[in-house]
Amino acid sequence: MGFTTIDIDRLRNDLMSENLAGYFGAGLGGMLIEAIDIQKMEPEDLVQLAQNQGIDLRRYLV
């Protein structure tokens, strides 16, 4: 079984940017809180969040 490496920093930045855009663009306060949470998440939690949001993680393979 092979291992895959994901660029966690890039994934984290993209998730944070998406949430901050929702906060500043639409005034969705919950998205600001989630952006703050994303900063503190462990890599496994970031991957799970991305999967839950339907993000194609192949874009983050290194």
Side-chain angles (χ1 to χ4, degrees):
M1 174 155 65
F3 290 94
T4 348
T5 303
I6 294 176
D7 186 342
I8 291 296
D9 293 329
R10 187 171 150 231
L11 177 60
R12 184 184 311 274
N13 287 336
D14 286 354
L15 288 169
M16 285 180 55
S17 293
E18 183 176 313
N19 278 275
L20 289 174
Y23 171 69
F24 289 113
L28 302 173
M31 294 190 96
L32 177 62
I33 303 293
E34 190 167 336
I36 293 168
D37 291 342
I38 288 169
Q39 276 185 310
K40 302 173 189 174
M41 282 184 178
E42 295 295 323
E44 297 84 10
D45 298 326
L46 286 172
V47 169
Q48 185 65 46
L49 176 63
Q51 289 174 330
N52 290 345
Q53 292 183 3
I55 294 172
D56 185 0
L57 292 174
R58 291 177 294 184
R59 295 177 18 206
Y60 298 93
L61 294 178
V62 290

